[in-house]
Amino acid sequence: MPFVNIRIVEGHSAARKDEIARRVAATISEVAEVPKEAVWVVFEDVKAEEWYVGPDSVAVLRARAK
């Protein structure tokens, strides 16, 4: 059974995660030829202050972009 772990910056709605999980499960199901119900998708929410792109946190990058 395929297991997909998605790390994402916290703050995404349940509806958005539902849609991501639906699409991921459908794609893996199609390619791996397994039922969608056999695909596990887990989200790990990461605080923007703890996610870094190079030397800067996502929180800092977001603040700069405003």
Side-chain angles (χ1 to χ4, degrees), residues 21-46:
R22 186 189 66 74
R23 292 184 189 194
V24 167
T27 300
I28 292 177
S29 170
E30 178 185 334
V31 174
E33 298 179 355
V34 298
K36 291 176 192 171
E37 297 76 22
V39 180
W40 290 22
V41 180
V42 174
F43 288 92
E44 289 185 53
D45 290 321
V46 179

Side-chain angles (χ1 to χ4, degrees), residues 6 8 15-25 41 43:
I6 299 173
I8 192 167
R16 180 173 286 159
K17 289 179 183 179
D18 288 347
E19 182 64 14
I20 293 168
R22 186 189 66 74
R23 292 184 189 194
V24 167
V41 180
F43 288 92

Side-chain angles (χ1 to χ4, degrees), residues 51-58 60-61 64:
W51 188 304
Y52 283 77
V53 178
D56 299 314
S57 72
V58 170
V60 168
L61 295 173
R64 280 190 203 148

